[in-house]
Amino acid sequence: MPSTHERTTPGSPGARSPVTGLPPAPGARATRPRSAHRAPARTRTLGVLVAAGLVAASAVATSVATADDAAAVPGTLLSRGALTAASSSESGGLGPRFAVDGDRATRWASAPGDDQWLRVDLGGPHPLERVVLDWEAAFGKDFTLQVSDDARAWRTVATVTGGTGGVQSFDVATTGRYVQLVGTARGTAYGYSLHELQVFGDGEPAAPVDPPVHGDEVTHHEFQANCSFSHLLRDDPIVFPGRPGASHLHTFVGNRSTDAFSTPASLVASPASTCTVPQDRSSYWFPALYEGDTPVRPDIPMTIYYKSGIDDHTKVVPFPAGLRFVAGDMMATPETFRTAPGAVEGWECGDISKRWEIPAHCPAGTQLNIRYQAPSCWDGVHLSPDAASHMGHGSHMAYPVDGQCPLTHPVAVPMLEFKIAWPVSGDMADVHLASGTDQSWHYDFVNAWEPEVLERLVEHCINGGLQCNPRGYDLYKPHRGTVLDERYRLVP
């Protein structure tokens, strides 16, 4: 029941939020609630791909929902570990996901301001019974609780005026996928701050499966997929498919067959690759670097990291077969390049780093480098950019927010971090990109990994919290084993 310290009024079924709702994540994921325990990685990967629509049969979705309904248990905590979003966060360490992590030592804290909201995606529609708010000192005085099936039309299920914080429990009798708290007046001069927002209802109880515990300190969650120079072409099979010569000059690494006519299927069928792991038949390309009128060919393997882009590295799943995207923006200005979520180091050489334009001079014998991260949250449905986003990563990919994937892009895939080097130094006045300004840096990726190898590397290195070489071996934790042997065969 509502706390006796505040007045509540039931919301009408047709009530709408004063906050513009986020669109629902394309391609509904599995309707079961997130468990407090994590399923084995291989089972989880299959579940994500089925729910994402890669197995495009409505009968599958129907059977999953029916099975979950049959197993539903009243009073289940549905919100634990769910995806979240908020109008603002005071800092990354106070993001909205901390309101559903089951730990009262953490919290979500909004920026100061009366009009703020916190939203939870339960992963599918559920009969809802109760919402519990566990406030920190910065509580909400006036607020509403709202429920939605699609994150567009909202039904108000409780209205509070004159609240005094503490732990507040609200009985709700409705069905929905999304639950949100909408604040209209703060109880303090700070923002709103919640230790926990808990949603209870009918759902599947937590699976009794825990992830393996290795006892090692987790300092990294990555592996390398290093690839050498392959060829130069004025082709771009993502932006200008089937149009040879339509692009500026690109440097290609990875699959040697890449040209304007390449598709994921053709790459998989072409085994010749410059990558260290032969089962990586993916294609990676970026604008060529010129010194005067001469394109510069990289003379060392390019370092391509596969990392966790979210805080919870155990939730990263492999790229789906055929995923394509572009990281970066050809139209970036110095300011948008500097503040881009993918700009890690910018341009660097010698001791020079974090430059947002190519340095005027690099110490003799050094190499010009750039480090840039790709978006790592996928919408779970589309495998390639839409036609309107040629020079961006496309609406199917997004960067994490406050350490987790946004509701619109719920699937966490590996975050690619390119570290590209060219053998140029000294006076850099004539060094420039084929794509235009120094801020026009971008790169393209088409996934053509052998699926089991990629899956095993993601599980072992990213999910397992290791710093792996291309074979999946952590030099500092040799007791954890490896994925591939010296001949790059999968280790049983």
Side-chain angles (χ1 to χ4, degrees), residues 297-377:
R297 300 186 176 201
D299 62 353
I300 59 174
M302 302 294 96
T303 304
I304 302 171
Y305 295 101
Y306 280 59
K307 298 184 174 185
S308 173
I310 61 173
D311 289 346
D312 187 354
H313 57 278
T314 66
K315 292 183 178 179
V316 176
V317 300
F319 291 125
L323 182 71
R324 293 168 280 185
F325 61 77
V326 184
D329 181 4
M330 263 191 62
M331 307 307 294
T333 65
E335 179 62 16
T336 59
F337 182 63
R338 182 184 68 82
T339 58
V344 182
E345 299 288 347
W347 297 102
E348 54 187 4
C349 60
D351 294 330
I352 300 171
S353 64
K354 295 188 182 298
R355 296 293 177 88
W356 312 114
E357 56 185 17
I358 295 174
H361 185 274
C362 287
T366 63
Q367 294 208 342
L368 178 67
N369 289 265
I370 190 168
R371 293 170 66 103
Y372 200 95
Q373 293 180 338
S376 58
C377 297

Side-chain angles (χ1 to χ4, degrees), residues 214-298:
H214 300 288
D216 298 320
E217 180 184 6
V218 176
T219 57
H220 296 76
H221 20 70
E222 64 184 45
F223 66 91
Q224 294 183 19
N226 301 336
C227 306
S228 300
F229 171 81
S230 174
H231 56 283
L232 296 164
L233 273 180
R234 296 182 181 276
D235 289 0
D236 190 324
I238 293 180
V239 179
F240 300 110
R243 298 171 58 188
S247 173
H248 54 255
L249 189 66
H250 279 111
T251 299
F252 289 84
V253 303
N255 199 300
R256 291 186 179 277
S257 72
T258 311
D259 60 20
F261 300 98
S262 293
T263 64
S266 73
L267 296 175
V268 170
S270 302
S273 173
T274 68
C275 295
T276 303
V277 177
Q279 297 93 330
D280 182 9
R281 300 177 182 180
S282 304
S283 185
Y284 312 82
W285 66 94
F286 44 88
L289 185 83
Y290 281 89
E291 187 170 26
D293 296 328
T294 305
V296 180
R297 300 186 176 201

Side-chain angles (χ1 to χ4, degrees), residues 105-167:
T106 64
R107 61 190 174 96
W108 165 66
S110 76
D114 286 327
D115 296 325
Q116 303 285 346
W117 53 267
L118 170 66
R119 185 173 305 159
V120 178
D121 177 4
L122 303 176
H126 293 276
L128 306 180
E129 301 166 359
R130 184 164 51 101
V131 177
V132 177
L133 304 178
D134 183 358
W135 293 100
E136 194 254 352
F139 62 93
K141 184 177 71 172
D142 299 345
F143 59 88
T144 59
L145 292 175
Q146 300 176 339
V147 175
S148 175
D149 301 318
D150 58 6
R152 293 190 181 96
W154 294 89
R155 306 181 300 277
T156 298
V157 295
T159 299
V160 174
T161 57
T164 57
V167 177

Side-chain angles (χ1 to χ4, degrees), residues 3-25:
S3 166
T4 56
H5 296 292
E6 64 268 348
R7 299 187 301 278
T8 66
T9 57
S12 63
R16 284 183 174 268
S17 166
V19 179
T20 301
L22 289 174

Side-chain angles (χ1 to χ4, degrees), residues 42 276-280 449-450 452-454 456-457 460 469-473 481-492:
R42 296 191 186 196
T276 303
V277 177
Q279 297 93 330
D280 182 9
W449 275 87
E450 186 174 305
E452 185 177 3
V453 174
L454 178 60
R456 290 275 298 276
L457 286 167
H460 184 69
N469 67 11
R471 292 198 298 112
Y473 178 75
T482 187
V483 173
L484 301 169
D485 64 19
E486 291 81 359
R487 297 175 63 182
Y488 295 94
R489 298 172 302 189
L490 279 169
V491 175

